[in-house]
């Protein structure tokens, strides 16, 4: 099994910053992609915020480009999301996701979610 543990959410004023962290543990061969998604309360759809491959390639949602930065430590199996210039519309539950290679197959795992609230 693979566990993803997130930390770093909270309440911040507009214009402020937060850093989210996620650590993966368990038995797996490698992690192909690690990323962050967000989901509004009462909805089922999660939208991509940013992801990063094991080779360091990144992808960002247009709404966060220039404000958020994703980074990854492959040796520690961790991923972080530095969020700057936060806006009230960034208020969501943020989920860490990892695409993991296990016994030659690829699986998706999700963290438990961490609330980010940006006040105006």
């Amino acid at each position: 099994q693979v566990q993803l543990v997130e930390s770093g959410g909270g309440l911040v004023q507009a214009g402020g910053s937060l850093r989210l962290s996620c650590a993966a543990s368990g038995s797996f061969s490698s992690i192909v992609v690690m990323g962050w998604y967000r989901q509004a309360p009462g909805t089922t759809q999660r939208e991509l915020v940013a992801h990063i491959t094991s080779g360091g390639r990144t992808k960002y949602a247009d709404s966060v480009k220039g404000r958020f930065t994703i980074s990854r430590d492959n040796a520690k199996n961790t991923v972080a999301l530095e969020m700057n210039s936060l806006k009230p519309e960034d208020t969501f539950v943020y989920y860490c996701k990892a695409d993991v290679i296990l016994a030659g197959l690829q699986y998706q795992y999700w963290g438990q979610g961490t609330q980010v609230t940006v006040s105006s």
Side-chain angles (χ1 to χ4, degrees):
Q1 274 291 353
V2 177
Q3 295 80 40
L4 299 178
V5 178
E6 302 147 342
S7 60
L11 172 64
V12 65
Q13 289 189 331
S17 299
L18 281 174
R19 179 181 173 89
L20 305 182
S21 297
C22 174
S25 63
S27 299
F28 48 84
S29 300
S30 62
I31 304 177
V32 179
V33 181
M34 297 190 81
W36 293 93
Y37 288 70
R38 60 191 188 185
Q39 180 176 354
T43 69
T44 57
Q45 186 173 359
R46 295 178 181 175
E47 64 176 16
L48 172 70
V49 179
H51 73 211
I52 183 167
T53 69
S54 57
R57 285 187 301 169
T58 59
K59 180 178 180 179
Y60 293 91
D62 288 342
S63 60
V64 307
K65 284 180 181 176
R67 299 188 299 123
F68 292 10
T69 302
I70 191 169
S71 61
R72 175 174 172 173
D73 186 328
N74 290 331
K76 297 181 179 179
N77 294 319
T78 59
V79 64
L81 185 69
E82 189 73 37
M83 304 185 294
N84 299 314
S85 302
L86 282 161
K87 305 175 182 180
E89 51 264 41
D90 293 317
T91 296
F92 288 94
V93 177
Y94 284 71
Y95 292 89
C96 175
K97 175 178 170 284
D99 293 346
V100 171
I101 301 298
L102 181 62
L105 298 176
Q106 186 165 323
Y107 298 88
Q108 294 181 356
Y109 289 90
W110 293 88
Q112 78 282 2
T114 185
Q115 177 70 47
V116 171
T117 302
V118 184
S119 63
S120 57

